[in-house]
Amino acid sequence: MHKLFKWLIVFLIFCIGGYMIAEWKVKKEIIAFLEQKVPNHIEFTYDELTLSLLKGSIAFNDVEVVNLGKQTSSCEIKINANQFAIKGFNYWKMLFEKSIFIKSLTLSKPHLKFRTCPKRPDNKDEIKNNPIKLIKEIFIEDLILDSGIVEVWDSEEKVELISVESIKLHLNNVATNPDIITKYLPFTSSKYNIEFKNFNAPLGKYEKLQMASMVMKDSTINITDLSLFTVYSKTELSKEITYERDHVNLSVPVIEIENHNYSVANDSIHIYFKELLFTQPNLEIYRDKSNLEDLENKLLYGKLLQKLPFKLAIDSVLIKKGTIVYEEDIPNNTKAGALNFDKLNANIGHLSNIKNEKPLNIQLNANLMGTGKLHLNWQFDVHDPKSAFQISGELSKFNTVSLNDFLVPNLRTQTTGTIDQFYFTISGNEDVAVGDIKMSYDDFKFEVLNKDRNGVKKVLSFIGNLLVSDGSKADEYGYRYGDISAERVKNKSFFNYLWISIKDGLLSVLTGNGKKE
C-alpha cells in the first residue's frame, strides 16, 4: 500500500511536470509563431501571455497591433486592448474533424484607430487586397468586442472622419471557411447585437452627423438623438461660400427600423428595410440669397436615387409629428421670410433604386403656417428616363395673412383673404409640367409694398386687384378653375419646380375667366 502511494505521487508529479512542460512548449511555439509568421507590415506586441491547456484558453494582456495596410484599404490600423482572450478551444475538432472550434473570443476595452490612404492620381499604386487562404473551417460560438473606442482619420491624420465613444459588439455562431473568407463579408453569424454611443462623422466640409446611441439587433435598429447640422453659424457660412447653400439643422429624437437585411451581389451592397420610422423630426433650413446663385443643373429625386453607390429597398418610411421651417433671406435689410409646416405626418412607400420595383409614392399631411390643412400625394418611377411624375394636393381653411411673413420680405407683397378649398393636379417630367387647379376663396386681395416694405404702392395694388377676381364669379359649388403650364428651371430644386407650377395655376384661377374647360 505504501509502495502504491509512492508510485501514485511519482505519477502525479510526472503528470504535473509533463503538463507544465507542455504548456511551456506550447507557449514557446506560440511566441515563435508570432515572431516568425506574422507579416512584416503587422506589429503585434503584448505584456503577458497566459495559457491553460486544460481549459483550452489563451489570453494576451495589454495588446497592441499595428497594421500598415498592405492588405486593407486603410493605410494604418492601430488596435490597443486590455486583453485578447480565447476560451474553449476544442482539440478534438482540430485534430480529427479538421476544423477550429472556439467557445468565445473576446477583445476587452479596445481602442481602434484607422488612418485612410491618400488619393492617388492613377490606379498604378493602389493597394490590392491579397486573398486570405484558409485550410480549416473556423467556428466561434461567441465573438465579443467589449467597451471599445473607434477613430477614423484622414490620410494626414488632421481630420477625424468618424469617432465612436463606446462600441459593444456580440456576434453568435460566427463561422468562416476557405470559400466564405474570400467573399465581401468574410464570415456568417446567426445573431448579433451592436451598440454605439456618441457617434460623430463630418459630412464634407460644411455638415456633421451625430447620434447619441444606436442599437442594432437581428430584426431592429433603434437610434436616439440623431442630428445633422451645418458646422458654421448662418453668418459664418455666408462668408465661407461663394454660391448659395442651405444652412441645415435636422434633429430626430427617435428612429426605428424594422426587419433590416443586407447582402452583396455583383460587388454591390443591397440594403433592405421593411419599415423606417422617424418620430418628431425637426428640420430647419436657411438660405442666404446674397450669395451667387449656383447655375449647375440639379437632378430630380429619381436620378439622385439611381446614383446612390448601393442598392436600397425600403417598403415604408413613416414620419410622425414632424416640423419643417424654411427661411429665405433677401439682402434687403429686413428679417428673413419663413415658411413653416408643423404636425407633419408622411408615408413614403417603395423607396427603392432597384429596377422593376413599384413606383415610389409619398402621402403627406401637415399644417401650413399654423392655419391651412395641407395634403400631398406624389408618385414617380425612379427609373423613368424622363423623370415623369404625378403630384396632387389639397389646401383647406387657409388664412392667407399668415403667408405675409414670407411674402413681405421676399416678394414685397402682402395678402388678405381666406382660401376655403384649393386642389391641384400636376403631371410633369424633367422639362415641363401641366395640370389643372380649382379653388374657392373669399375676399382675396394683395398689396404691393414699397422698397422699404413700410408702405403700400396704392396704384399698383389697385391695378392688381382689378385683375384679380374676388371669388364671387364662381360655379354653383363656389369654385373657380385654372390651368397649369410651367417649364422647369433646371438649376433649381424640385420644390421650386412645384412652386412655379402652382403659381402659374393660381394666376390662371385669379385672373382668368374661372370656368372649367
mmCIF file of all heavy atoms in Angstrom, residues 485-505:
data_model
loop_
_atom_site.group_PDB
_atom_site.id
_atom_site.type_symbol
_atom_site.label_atom_id
_atom_site.label_comp_id
_atom_site.label_asym_id
_atom_site.label_seq_id
_atom_site.Cartn_x
_atom_site.Cartn_y
_atom_site.Cartn_z
ATOM 1 N N SER A 485 -49.305 75.337 -66.581
ATOM 2 C CA SER A 485 -48.311 75.065 -67.619
ATOM 3 C C SER A 485 -47.020 75.750 -67.201
ATOM 4 O O SER A 485 -46.965 76.981 -67.101
ATOM 5 C CB SER A 485 -48.777 75.578 -68.983
ATOM 6 O OG SER A 485 -47.791 75.320 -69.966
ATOM 7 N N ALA A 486 -45.988 74.951 -66.915
ATOM 8 C CA ALA A 486 -44.737 75.521 -66.409
ATOM 9 C C ALA A 486 -43.547 74.790 -67.002
ATOM 10 O O ALA A 486 -43.610 73.601 -67.304
ATOM 11 C CB ALA A 486 -44.695 75.446 -64.881
ATOM 12 N N GLU A 487 -42.467 75.528 -67.155
ATOM 13 C CA GLU A 487 -41.208 74.961 -67.631
ATOM 14 C C GLU A 487 -40.209 74.956 -66.487
ATOM 15 O O GLU A 487 -40.050 75.956 -65.783
ATOM 16 C CB GLU A 487 -40.665 75.778 -68.808
ATOM 17 C CG GLU A 487 -39.414 75.180 -69.440
ATOM 18 C CD GLU A 487 -38.982 75.941 -70.678
ATOM 19 O OE1 GLU A 487 -39.822 76.677 -71.239
ATOM 20 O OE2 GLU A 487 -37.815 75.799 -71.084
ATOM 21 N N ARG A 488 -39.556 73.839 -66.292
ATOM 22 C CA ARG A 488 -38.638 73.702 -65.169
ATOM 23 C C ARG A 488 -37.377 74.542 -65.364
ATOM 24 O O ARG A 488 -36.810 74.595 -66.460
ATOM 25 C CB ARG A 488 -38.225 72.230 -65.007
ATOM 26 C CG ARG A 488 -37.304 72.011 -63.819
ATOM 27 C CD ARG A 488 -36.849 70.583 -63.718
ATOM 28 N NE ARG A 488 -35.768 70.468 -62.757
ATOM 29 C CZ ARG A 488 -34.678 69.741 -62.908
ATOM 30 N NH1 ARG A 488 -34.526 69.019 -64.007
ATOM 31 N NH2 ARG A 488 -33.745 69.710 -62.004
ATOM 32 N N VAL A 489 -36.956 75.202 -64.278
ATOM 33 C CA VAL A 489 -35.650 75.870 -64.230
ATOM 34 C C VAL A 489 -34.663 74.834 -63.680
ATOM 35 O O VAL A 489 -34.705 74.505 -62.489
ATOM 36 C CB VAL A 489 -35.697 77.124 -63.331
ATOM 37 C CG1 VAL A 489 -34.342 77.823 -63.344
ATOM 38 C CG2 VAL A 489 -36.801 78.070 -63.787
ATOM 39 N N LYS A 490 -33.796 74.324 -64.536
ATOM 40 C CA LYS A 490 -33.059 73.097 -64.200
ATOM 41 C C LYS A 490 -31.931 73.286 -63.196
ATOM 42 O O LYS A 490 -31.405 72.297 -62.691
ATOM 43 C CB LYS A 490 -32.533 72.451 -65.481
ATOM 44 C CG LYS A 490 -33.662 71.952 -66.379
ATOM 45 C CD LYS A 490 -33.162 71.093 -67.523
ATOM 46 C CE LYS A 490 -34.347 70.552 -68.314
ATOM 47 N NZ LYS A 490 -33.922 69.696 -69.444
ATOM 48 N N ASN A 491 -31.576 74.531 -62.904
ATOM 49 C CA ASN A 491 -30.565 74.730 -61.868
ATOM 50 C C ASN A 491 -31.197 74.947 -60.491
ATOM 51 O O ASN A 491 -30.508 75.248 -59.536
ATOM 52 C CB ASN A 491 -29.663 75.918 -62.217
ATOM 53 C CG ASN A 491 -30.395 77.243 -62.201
ATOM 54 O OD1 ASN A 491 -31.355 77.433 -62.934
ATOM 55 N ND2 ASN A 491 -29.960 78.153 -61.346
ATOM 56 N N LYS A 492 -32.539 74.752 -60.421
ATOM 57 C CA LYS A 492 -33.237 74.884 -59.138
ATOM 58 C C LYS A 492 -33.843 73.550 -58.729
ATOM 59 O O LYS A 492 -33.907 72.607 -59.514
ATOM 60 C CB LYS A 492 -34.320 75.963 -59.222
ATOM 61 C CG LYS A 492 -33.757 77.376 -59.452
ATOM 62 C CD LYS A 492 -34.849 78.421 -59.441
ATOM 63 C CE LYS A 492 -34.296 79.818 -59.683
ATOM 64 N NZ LYS A 492 -33.455 80.287 -58.562
ATOM 65 N N SER A 493 -34.296 73.488 -57.486
ATOM 66 C CA SER A 493 -34.772 72.232 -56.904
ATOM 67 C C SER A 493 -36.146 71.839 -57.424
ATOM 68 O O SER A 493 -36.840 72.642 -58.069
ATOM 69 C CB SER A 493 -34.843 72.365 -55.379
ATOM 70 O OG SER A 493 -35.904 73.244 -55.021
ATOM 71 N N PHE A 494 -36.556 70.597 -57.095
ATOM 72 C CA PHE A 494 -37.891 70.140 -57.462
ATOM 73 C C PHE A 494 -38.962 71.008 -56.822
ATOM 74 O O PHE A 494 -40.018 71.265 -57.424
ATOM 75 C CB PHE A 494 -38.092 68.687 -57.045
ATOM 76 C CG PHE A 494 -39.499 68.198 -57.271
ATOM 77 C CD1 PHE A 494 -39.912 67.773 -58.520
ATOM 78 C CD2 PHE A 494 -40.426 68.200 -56.232
ATOM 79 C CE1 PHE A 494 -41.212 67.354 -58.742
ATOM 80 C CE2 PHE A 494 -41.726 67.770 -56.438
ATOM 81 C CZ PHE A 494 -42.118 67.346 -57.702
ATOM 82 N N PHE A 495 -38.711 71.495 -55.606
ATOM 83 C CA PHE A 495 -39.746 72.267 -54.910
ATOM 84 C C PHE A 495 -39.918 73.645 -55.545
ATOM 85 O O PHE A 495 -41.005 74.221 -55.500
ATOM 86 C CB PHE A 495 -39.416 72.354 -53.423
ATOM 87 C CG PHE A 495 -39.544 71.019 -52.743
ATOM 88 C CD1 PHE A 495 -38.420 70.270 -52.435
ATOM 89 C CD2 PHE A 495 -40.788 70.490 -52.474
ATOM 90 C CE1 PHE A 495 -38.539 69.027 -51.845
ATOM 91 C CE2 PHE A 495 -40.928 69.246 -51.884
ATOM 92 C CZ PHE A 495 -39.793 68.508 -51.572
ATOM 93 N N ASN A 496 -38.867 74.188 -56.159
ATOM 94 C CA ASN A 496 -39.037 75.391 -56.963
ATOM 95 C C ASN A 496 -39.915 75.089 -58.171
ATOM 96 O O ASN A 496 -40.788 75.892 -58.539
ATOM 97 C CB ASN A 496 -37.670 75.909 -57.421
ATOM 98 C CG ASN A 496 -37.790 77.053 -58.413
ATOM 99 O OD1 ASN A 496 -37.808 76.848 -59.616
ATOM 100 N ND2 ASN A 496 -37.890 78.267 -57.882
ATOM 101 N N TYR A 497 -39.693 73.917 -58.780
ATOM 102 C CA TYR A 497 -40.487 73.464 -59.923
ATOM 103 C C TYR A 497 -41.961 73.344 -59.535
ATOM 104 O O TYR A 497 -42.864 73.789 -60.254
ATOM 105 C CB TYR A 497 -39.925 72.128 -60.380
ATOM 106 C CG TYR A 497 -40.405 71.585 -61.707
ATOM 107 C CD1 TYR A 497 -41.056 72.368 -62.647
ATOM 108 C CD2 TYR A 497 -40.172 70.237 -62.019
ATOM 109 C CE1 TYR A 497 -41.468 71.848 -63.866
ATOM 110 C CE2 TYR A 497 -40.573 69.705 -63.235
ATOM 111 C CZ TYR A 497 -41.224 70.506 -64.156
ATOM 112 O OH TYR A 497 -41.631 69.980 -65.355
ATOM 113 N N LEU A 498 -42.214 72.762 -58.364
ATOM 114 C CA LEU A 498 -43.585 72.624 -57.870
ATOM 115 C C LEU A 498 -44.210 74.003 -57.619
ATOM 116 O O LEU A 498 -45.367 74.252 -57.977
ATOM 117 C CB LEU A 498 -43.585 71.789 -56.587
ATOM 118 C CG LEU A 498 -44.918 71.598 -55.881
ATOM 119 C CD1 LEU A 498 -45.927 70.895 -56.778
ATOM 120 C CD2 LEU A 498 -44.725 70.809 -54.576
ATOM 121 N N TRP A 499 -43.415 74.911 -57.030
ATOM 122 C CA TRP A 499 -43.938 76.228 -56.694
ATOM 123 C C TRP A 499 -44.310 77.017 -57.954
ATOM 124 O O TRP A 499 -45.393 77.618 -58.021
ATOM 125 C CB TRP A 499 -42.933 77.003 -55.857
ATOM 126 C CG TRP A 499 -43.182 78.482 -55.816
ATOM 127 C CD1 TRP A 499 -42.364 79.479 -56.246
ATOM 128 C CD2 TRP A 499 -44.356 79.142 -55.337
ATOM 129 N NE1 TRP A 499 -42.938 80.712 -56.077
ATOM 130 C CE2 TRP A 499 -44.165 80.535 -55.515
ATOM 131 C CE3 TRP A 499 -45.562 78.693 -54.784
ATOM 132 C CZ2 TRP A 499 -45.121 81.474 -55.150
ATOM 133 C CZ3 TRP A 499 -46.517 79.641 -54.427
ATOM 134 C CH2 TRP A 499 -46.300 81.008 -54.602
ATOM 135 N N ILE A 500 -43.429 77.038 -58.983
ATOM 136 C CA ILE A 500 -43.752 77.817 -60.174
ATOM 137 C C ILE A 500 -44.938 77.207 -60.929
ATOM 138 O O ILE A 500 -45.693 77.924 -61.597
ATOM 139 C CB ILE A 500 -42.527 77.980 -61.106
ATOM 140 C CG1 ILE A 500 -42.046 76.627 -61.640
ATOM 141 C CG2 ILE A 500 -41.406 78.724 -60.403
ATOM 142 C CD1 ILE A 500 -40.904 76.755 -62.647
ATOM 143 N N SER A 501 -45.123 75.885 -60.789
ATOM 144 C CA SER A 501 -46.292 75.251 -61.409
ATOM 145 C C SER A 501 -47.571 75.693 -60.705
ATOM 146 O O SER A 501 -48.565 76.062 -61.356
ATOM 147 C CB SER A 501 -46.159 73.726 -61.348
ATOM 148 O OG SER A 501 -45.014 73.271 -62.040
ATOM 149 N N ILE A 502 -47.565 75.667 -59.364
ATOM 150 C CA ILE A 502 -48.742 76.092 -58.599
ATOM 151 C C ILE A 502 -48.999 77.587 -58.811
ATOM 152 O O ILE A 502 -50.151 78.029 -58.952
ATOM 153 C CB ILE A 502 -48.561 75.756 -57.111
ATOM 154 C CG1 ILE A 502 -48.561 74.234 -56.910
ATOM 155 C CG2 ILE A 502 -49.656 76.410 -56.269
ATOM 156 C CD1 ILE A 502 -48.258 73.795 -55.504
ATOM 157 N N LYS A 503 -47.918 78.373 -58.853
ATOM 158 C CA LYS A 503 -48.079 79.822 -59.059
ATOM 159 C C LYS A 503 -48.748 80.107 -60.402
ATOM 160 O O LYS A 503 -49.633 80.982 -60.488
ATOM 161 C CB LYS A 503 -46.707 80.499 -58.996
ATOM 162 C CG LYS A 503 -46.780 82.020 -59.143
ATOM 163 C CD LYS A 503 -45.421 82.660 -58.920
ATOM 164 C CE LYS A 503 -44.496 82.352 -60.086
ATOM 165 N NZ LYS A 503 -43.229 83.112 -60.020
ATOM 166 N N ASP A 504 -48.355 79.344 -61.438
ATOM 167 C CA ASP A 504 -48.988 79.529 -62.748
ATOM 168 C C ASP A 504 -50.476 79.203 -62.672
ATOM 169 O O ASP A 504 -51.315 79.916 -63.243
ATOM 170 C CB ASP A 504 -48.296 78.635 -63.783
ATOM 171 C CG ASP A 504 -48.845 78.839 -65.182
ATOM 172 O OD1 ASP A 504 -48.434 79.804 -65.842
ATOM 173 O OD2 ASP A 504 -49.707 78.028 -65.603
ATOM 174 N N GLY A 505 -50.824 78.141 -61.945
ATOM 175 C CA GLY A 505 -52.226 77.783 -61.780
ATOM 176 C C GLY A 505 -53.002 78.825 -61.005
ATOM 177 O O GLY A 505 -54.160 79.137 -61.325
#
